[in-house]
Amino acid sequence: MGASPSERLRYVLVVLVAAAVVSASVGMVAAFHGIVVRGGDEPTFNPGVGGPSTVVVSNATPVVYRGESNIVFELPSEESVAPGRLIGASGPAEGQPLQLPIPEDQTVGLYTLGGRRPSPGVIVQTPRITDLTIVNERGFDVRDATVTEDTTLLVEASWNFRRAEDLSLVVRNDRGTDITGQVLTSVDDLSSTQRAMLSGPYATFPERVGNVGERGTGTGIQYIQGLGQFTRAELANSSRLDAAYWALDLGEAGPGNVTVTVEGWDSLDAGPASRTATVEVTTESETTLGLDPEEATRGQRVQFLVRGSTIGAVHTVVVERDAFRDDDADERVFDPVGNVIDRGTVDADDDGTAEFAYATVQIDDNTGFGEGRIDTSRLEDTGVDVRVFEAGQNLSSIARDVGDPVDERTLDVVEPTIAIDRPAGVYVAGDGVDVDGTASRGIDEVALYVRNGDDWELLDVNEDGSLTRADTVSVAGDGDWEVEDVTLSAANRRLSFEGQYDLGVVEAADVAENGRLPATLTNGQFSGATSAQTTLLVKPPRLELGQTVTLINDQLAVEDGTVDVRGTAPGLDRVLVVMVDEQGAVSTEQIPVDEDDVFERDDVDLSTPEGRELARGPIEGFLLGVGRDNVVGDGQLPNQDRATLGAFEDFVKALSATGQTQSQLTARILAETTNDTASDDLLIRESFEYTSASTRITAVVPQQFADADGVTRIEVGETMLVRGETNRQPEQNTITVAAIAGPATGALPVASTEEWGVNGSWSVTIDTSGLEPGVYTLEADDGASTDQVDVRVVPAGERGPLDGGGNDSNASRSTRPRRSCGQAAGAVDCR
């Protein structure tokens, strides 16, 4: 749009006056512009308009900036330095020459003469406006906020290139017109709070905040602040300059958005060397309402802000009845926080139903705003009109025309969501599991329920035996909720029985009654609240055999003295090992089950509680776990207060002191566990022989006839295969085979092995190359027992048909079968 004649005349007069002021002040400007040190021992650089522009290339490595121009480089000797002599000396800049003007993409880093280190140089950095604030008379930052047109503002800017360039200020109205000269004012218009914020030389010489502007080199009028606006003496008599200041009187700005930009006055005016902030200028009568956020999940708190009013004014903020979930206006939709001085409801026609809820808000004398908060948990999932009325308007007047506010905003309330992620699929009764999921903002707590027909039953997630508000689960700030290591079958007994169940999560606030969680919910209550559910398939706990007890050939050598017990037990937290010898003595040990449902214990000792080793002979071993009822047997044990696994261990220990035999003790163990009334215990039974160490040689054959039996003749040059059996534990023991008699025992290599399976079968090979023919006695030694056999070595080609000639050392062995009983996989009747 074109300016009117009067506006054009006013503009000409302003320009003429400004030009006259600039012309008259040239000498004065030159007089107080400061010159600063930039690399040398003496000041050589003026960051303001005019004056020297020398950067001294020295070991002090002064900083220069991307985009900087109009500078010259000199050595301390005043010898001129061409920019290309400065080469990157380290990091990404290494090997790169410096250019002038310095490109805006010049690699930052150290540049020295010839790229050598150490050597005089400079450091290249990125110029930045590090901070820009605009504060009102009360000292509050009003960037992106609304201020009245009679407001005086203080602009404060910090920058990292203070010694390179002063800062220039540009203020534009919402039409983009530069109004800097119109709105700049003197320090006298600042409030005491604003003046107290001045720092450095501006605090010592506050009159310098006023700025009549000066013409830059090759630029128009600049409104500059910084080091270059002070003399050396002034800088020496002040604290460090960290920020620049301008005072603005917005009376001439007019209503609308005003942008404030600060940047380097000369070449450093792009990218991070420039920063802009905005304020909205309004008249005092333009009271506005703001919501943050304008869309919220039901249950989330929303801040509201009344702006554009006078300090101390009282406004009423209203929400009508039809916005409430139960169609009943409730003053609790407004939280009593911030500047809310009253709240209530209004029943204008005295019919017993309030038309609206309100909050009375007073404009704060510090912030200039009226602040409050809305609790959306009471509102419908819809667009809710929030209205603010003129200052001083009474409730009766508002009730007569509630649709005529001074401003209103629509708050979009959306339905919250909730989800349960774990557990999913199969749950084994007795297992401790993590239960977790997510919830929308505004949901602070959730509660877990399990479906029982037409009802939902609360889970005792803290497992304290009572259903209380303590069974809620808090939602974290990121929307995640979690409760760790919950035994669901203990939290609700229904989940201890095999079957398919619905596990649900619900927003606690939706179902709480007078602050308490109901023990049961109807289907309608559950689905009417913010809720979600998942299906669980509950399975009973198991005690799986696997390789439960490590026995060799169904025996355990006394010399080894311990067994390794391993297996899996989904749904159990520990198992009990019981060993009973032929004389009725017992050895017990509890083994925990880890989070992967695995139990494992090496070197389980076969000793009584008194430390006495179990007797040699047959041993009855039991591995016991309690079922989903979490008690042993029918829940009662003789002479025990409880029926836990630990109590059963004490019962067995006491039983062994009564002098009963192995068979009697075995019968009592079965009677109190798997054979007890309504027992769901899990039991695995192992029988083995506890006996002396035994290692035997069962065959000596040529390796090429590995499947042959007995002891055969071996031809010189053949590889001899020696097979045998043992009851020793592998890894803990070594079986060594050596010749102890014969024509040339030293020529026959010694062989050994540490590897064999649970059947106890072992083998070694021996090379007979060059061996003198004859009869050799071989001995197998496991460190505790030995066995010997004679083998004839014959010349090559003289063995004859392989008929197994020699001593057949295979002997029959009696073994006791492994048995399982109770509810374990493959169980049999153990009675």
Side-chain angles (χ1 to χ4, degrees), residues 232-289:
R232 292 181 61 189
E234 289 170 338
L235 293 173
N237 292 316
S238 305
S239 59
R240 169 177 163 168
L241 188 150
D242 288 321
Y245 301 90
W246 296 263
L248 305 181
D249 180 355
L250 298 182
E252 296 296 322
N257 288 327
V258 171
T259 59
V260 177
T261 301
V262 293
E263 58 195 13
W265 74 266
D266 189 12
S267 57
L268 301 179
D269 59 357
S274 177
R275 183 178 286 192
T276 298
T278 302
V279 294
E280 182 183 355
V281 180
T282 184
T283 63
E284 285 191 26
S285 60
E286 293 180 350
T287 300
T288 62
L289 178 68

Side-chain angles (χ1 to χ4, degrees), residues 639-697:
N639 303 317
Q640 300 293 322
D641 296 332
R642 299 179 299 169
T644 62
L645 206 60
F648 183 75
E649 182 179 18
D650 293 339
F651 164 73
V652 171
K653 290 177 181 177
L655 200 61
S656 68
T658 61
Q660 299 186 48
T661 65
Q662 183 184 66
S663 59
Q664 290 173 320
L665 280 177
T666 297
R668 291 295 302 275
I669 289 172
L670 296 175
E672 296 295 341
T673 57
T674 54
N675 294 345
D676 208 350
T677 303
S679 171
D680 62 354
D681 293 343
L682 310 174
L683 189 72
I684 291 176
R685 182 176 175 183
E686 292 272 359
S687 300
F688 60 93
E689 194 76 16
Y690 191 39
T691 185
S692 299
S694 173
T695 294
R696 296 188 303 151
I697 298 174

Side-chain angles (χ1 to χ4, degrees), residues 360-489:
T360 304
V361 183
Q362 187 171 40
I363 304 303
D364 191 277
D365 59 355
N366 290 317
T367 66
F369 306 138
E371 183 180 1
R373 194 172 64 195
I374 297 172
D375 178 2
T376 63
S377 64
R378 305 179 187 282
L379 299 177
E380 286 283 2
D381 307 330
T382 185
V384 175
D385 292 330
V386 184
R387 299 179 174 130
V388 62
F389 291 82
E390 290 281 7
Q393 189 172 355
N394 61 44
L395 293 172
S396 298
S397 172
I398 292 171
R400 285 193 295 271
D401 194 359
V402 74
D404 187 27
V406 66
D407 194 23
E408 70 177 292
R409 291 287 184 271
T410 299
L411 173 61
D412 291 322
V413 180
V414 298
E415 183 179 2
T417 59
I418 195 170
I420 181 169
D421 299 330
R422 294 187 303 172
V426 175
Y427 170 71
V428 178
D431 259 354
V433 295
D434 296 341
V435 185
D436 59 38
T438 57
S440 300
R441 290 187 60 182
I443 297 180
D444 298 323
E445 293 178 321
V446 299
L448 294 168
Y449 284 78
V450 62
R451 189 171 186 170
N452 176 21
D454 292 333
D455 292 326
W456 291 81
E457 298 177 356
L458 180 64
L459 265 64
D460 179 19
V461 295
N462 65 358
E463 299 181 50
D464 64 354
S466 59
L467 301 176
T468 66
R469 187 75 189 220
D471 291 308
T472 57
V473 182
S474 296
V475 180
D478 60 1
D480 292 336
W481 59 268
E482 180 181 28
V483 56
E484 297 179 339
D485 196 26
V486 180
T487 304
L488 295 179
S489 51

Side-chain angles (χ1 to χ4, degrees), residues 451-707:
R451 189 171 186 170
N452 176 21
D454 292 333
D455 292 326
W456 291 81
E457 298 177 356
L458 180 64
L459 265 64
D460 179 19
V461 295
N462 65 358
E463 299 181 50
D464 64 354
S466 59
L467 301 176
T468 66
R469 187 75 189 220
D471 291 308
T472 57
V473 182
S474 296
V475 180
D478 60 1
D480 292 336
W481 59 268
E482 180 181 28
V483 56
E484 297 179 339
D485 196 26
V486 180
T487 304
L488 295 179
S489 51
N492 187 288
R493 184 166 174 76
R494 188 165 304 281
L495 294 175
S496 65
F497 296 97
E498 187 173 7
Q500 184 170 297
Y501 299 90
D502 291 329
L503 180 66
V505 60
V506 64
E507 181 182 1
D510 274 359
V511 298
E513 300 170 351
N514 299 319
R516 293 181 297 180
L517 286 176
T520 60
L521 297 174
T522 65
N523 271 329
Q525 289 174 316
F526 182 85
S527 59
T530 302
S531 59
Q533 57 185 285
T534 187
T535 299
L536 284 184
L537 181 62
V538 177
K539 292 189 173 182
R542 303 187 308 276
L543 188 60
E544 296 183 347
L545 184 62
Q547 184 57 52
T548 309
V549 181
T550 303
L551 301 172
I552 305 301
N553 209 9
D554 288 330
Q555 296 181 3
L556 177 65
V558 173
E559 289 77 4
D560 291 334
T562 62
V563 293
D564 298 340
V565 180
R566 301 183 182 92
T568 58
L572 306 185
D573 60 359
R574 60 184 51 247
V575 295
L576 174 66
V577 177
V578 178
M579 306 284 189
V580 184
D581 69 12
E582 198 169 24
Q583 299 175 10
V586 299
S587 169
T588 65
E589 184 162 351
Q590 292 190 47
I591 305 174
V593 180
D594 66 21
E595 60 184 11
D596 296 322
D597 297 329
V598 174
F599 61 90
E600 182 174 8
R601 180 65 56 84
D602 293 338
D603 300 330
V604 175
D605 189 28
L606 272 70
S607 298
T608 67
E610 296 78 22
R612 181 173 60 83
E613 185 180 277
L614 295 186
R616 303 187 187 197
I619 299 290
E620 291 293 336
F622 300 91
L623 190 65
L624 175 67
V626 297
R628 59 175 179 263
D629 60 7
N630 210 33
V631 295
V632 175
D634 63 357
Q636 296 182 335
L637 290 173
N639 303 317
Q640 300 293 322
D641 296 332
R642 299 179 299 169
T644 62
L645 206 60
F648 183 75
E649 182 179 18
D650 293 339
F651 164 73
V652 171
K653 290 177 181 177
L655 200 61
S656 68
T658 61
Q660 299 186 48
T661 65
Q662 183 184 66
S663 59
Q664 290 173 320
L665 280 177
T666 297
R668 291 295 302 275
I669 289 172
L670 296 175
E672 296 295 341
T673 57
T674 54
N675 294 345
D676 208 350
T677 303
S679 171
D680 62 354
D681 293 343
L682 310 174
L683 189 72
I684 291 176
R685 182 176 175 183
E686 292 272 359
S687 300
F688 60 93
E689 194 76 16
Y690 191 39
T691 185
S692 299
S694 173
T695 294
R696 296 188 303 151
I697 298 174
T698 59
V700 181
V701 298
Q703 188 176 27
Q704 66 268 34
F705 301 109
D707 294 334

Side-chain angles (χ1 to χ4, degrees), residues 319-334 344-349 351-358 375-380 384:
V319 174
E320 290 189 81
R321 182 185 68 189
D322 59 5
F324 287 83
R325 295 179 67 184
D326 53 6
D327 202 32
D328 185 12
D330 189 334
E331 67 179 53
R332 290 175 295 176
V333 72
F334 297 106
T345 58
V346 171
D347 178 10
D349 54 10
D351 63 353
T353 301
E355 283 75 29
F356 60 85
Y358 71 88
D375 178 2
T376 63
S377 64
R378 305 179 187 282
L379 299 177
E380 286 283 2
V384 175

